[in-house]
Amino acid sequence: GRGGDHREAHNVYGLCMARAGYEGLRAAAPGERPFVFSRSGWAGLQRYGGTWSGDVATGWPGLRASLSLVLGLGLCGVPYSGPDVGGFDGSPSPELFLRWFQLAAYLPLFRTHASLRAGRREPWEFGPEVLEHARAALLERRRLLPYFVTLAHLARRTGAPYVRPVWWNTPEDRALRDCGDAFLLGDALLVAPVLLPGAERRTVRLPRGRWYDTATGRAYEGPGKAVVEAPLGRIPVLAR
């Protein structure tokens, strides 16, 4: 071509790789919908697929960063993303792995993955209690599959991400804009993951409306705060 500096094309390269994968799959199987998620991308990546968080560090800060990354990507126009459950480069404790697994069950891309040096990531590698609770999270993910499909359709039609900040419908609410430890899954569910070790309850900041704890049925009025139970077997999920 005309020559120039590599920096001009660096970001576009990842976008074009995703496009090539998408178009190649369309050509190979015209009657099927392609599934692509790319390590790299740029503005417009959502036309061809999604992405993941990259090599997020194993640890409680990495768990919190995973949620921030998915929220940020959604606001930047990439609705389909998710982290490596448990982090990429370390050995999570059973509690950390389970809390990460429970969060990821409510994110668009849900997968366990790690470096070969980091050890196994199957739930049964962390003991029978973790396996039992991970199975419950998987069953809930399966139960919500029609809802995820609806959110995918809405993302395609409107650009609205699956995972939305709690201020999504009231951006003028400064208190909600400071909340980065919970999220809306669509408009109907509020997910409050456990991001600290040893926590068995947590405070949730509620947007406007009446919210019901999906495990206990207890109702809470928003806007405001509520303290909800978060036993090891589940994370708080509220519906309105």
Side-chain angles (χ1 to χ4, degrees):
R2 63 176 176 81
D5 193 302
H6 169 73
R7 289 173 294 183
E8 295 182 55
H10 181 80
N11 290 337
V12 181
Y13 185 84
L15 176 65
C16 291
M17 287 290 290
R19 177 181 176 180
Y22 175 86
E23 293 178 349
L25 289 171
R26 286 289 299 269
E32 300 181 19
R33 289 177 292 181
F35 176 73
V36 176
F37 69 102
S38 172
R39 186 185 185 96
S40 303
W42 198 48
L45 170 66
Q46 70 277 5
R47 296 196 298 265
Y48 310 115
T51 187
W52 77 100
S53 60
D55 298 346
V56 65
T58 297
W60 293 93
L63 170 59
R64 182 179 288 269
S66 294
L67 175 55
S68 299
L69 285 162
V70 175
L71 282 166
L73 283 165
L75 292 174
C76 290
V78 182
Y80 191 84
S81 67
D84 295 337
V85 171
F88 180 75
D89 60 353
S91 299
S93 68
E95 181 191 9
L96 175 59
F97 175 83
L98 178 60
R99 291 309 196 185
W100 215 315
F101 195 94
Q102 290 167 332
L103 163 62
Y106 293 94
L107 300 180
L109 176 62
F110 179 25
R111 69 170 192 157
T112 62
H113 176 71
S115 162
L116 290 174
R117 302 183 302 274
R120 304 294 292 267
R121 280 289 191 274
E122 293 85 356
W124 51 84
E125 296 291 333
F126 295 88
E129 184 179 20
V130 169
L131 178 60
E132 176 187 356
H133 297 326
R135 181 182 291 114
L138 283 170
L139 289 173
E140 181 64 6
R141 169 83 173 200
R142 179 68 179 177
R143 189 180 73 86
L144 289 173
L145 184 58
Y147 187 56
F148 274 99
V149 172
T150 300
L151 294 178
H153 182 68
L154 288 173
R156 178 178 178 273
R157 293 291 299 273
T158 70
Y162 306 58
V163 171
R164 306 166 186 180
V166 293
W167 51 259
W168 181 257
N169 292 310
T170 52
E172 71 280 0
D173 189 327
R174 296 298 306 185
L176 290 178
R177 287 175 65 179
D178 290 336
C179 176
D181 62 357
F183 62 93
L184 298 174
L185 183 61
D187 280 332
L189 296 179
L190 191 160
V191 182
V194 174
L195 304 176
L196 295 172
E200 294 186 347
R201 63 181 55 84
R202 57 154 295 173
T203 300
V204 181
R205 188 172 288 278
L206 303 173
R208 185 180 298 114
R210 175 169 290 183
W211 296 89
Y212 295 88
D213 188 316
T214 58
T216 67
R218 183 175 177 181
Y220 302 91
E221 292 291 338
K225 292 182 179 180
V227 177
V228 295
E229 297 300 314
L232 188 62
R234 62 177 176 85
I235 58 174
V237 179
L238 293 89
R240 65 176 171 185

